[in-house]
Amino acid sequence: MRYGEVAYWPHNHQVSYQGQIIELTIKEVAVLEQMLTHPKQVHSRASLEDKLYGWQQDIDSNAIEVHIHHLRKKLGNDFILTKRGIGYYLNPALG
């Protein structure tokens, strides 16, 4: 999968940005994969939590925000945007 300068290989969970392989945690890869699979969708925090943790796991209230923050640091601040009060989405100008 490719979106702008980000490439993702699902078979080995490898991610590159601007041609360089970058290290992501398992949860960061899961968030990125969900967003790349549905690039035009706004992903709510709740939907990302369900995808990453399931309904039986206890999670910190800001876990998704932390993953998004780390992805922005690694993939550029403008790669993932926030629709206030709704969720997160990939920057359409980069796709």
Side-chain angles (χ1 to χ4, degrees):
M1 292 182 217
R2 190 177 244 342
Y3 197 87
E5 295 187 77
V6 174
Y8 170 62
W9 294 271
H11 64 280
N12 64 1
H13 304 290
Q14 196 168 45
V15 177
S16 73
Y17 175 61
Q18 296 179 333
Q20 300 293 319
I21 300 297
I22 59 169
E23 296 294 320
L24 297 180
T25 67
I26 292 169
K27 298 296 185 187
E28 291 167 355
V29 168
V31 169
L32 181 62
E33 182 174 1
Q34 180 65 19
M35 296 187 86
L36 289 173
T37 303
H38 307 284
K40 295 181 181 185
Q41 179 178 332
V42 177
H43 303 268
S44 70
R45 187 179 74 150
S47 71
L48 291 172
E49 286 174 351
D50 287 347
K51 196 70 172 172
L52 267 61
Y53 299 102
W55 61 275
Q56 293 182 338
Q57 275 186 299
D58 289 332
I59 58 168
D60 292 332
S61 63
N62 68 336
I64 296 300
E65 287 84 355
V66 171
H67 297 313
I68 296 291
H69 172 74
H70 290 155
L71 284 169
R72 285 176 173 154
K73 283 177 62 175
K74 295 173 182 180
L75 304 175
N77 282 330
D78 61 343
F79 185 71
I80 298 173
L81 302 178
T82 302
K83 188 164 279 246
R84 191 169 170 87
I86 299 175
Y88 304 98
Y89 63 103
L90 297 178
N91 187 340
L94 301 177

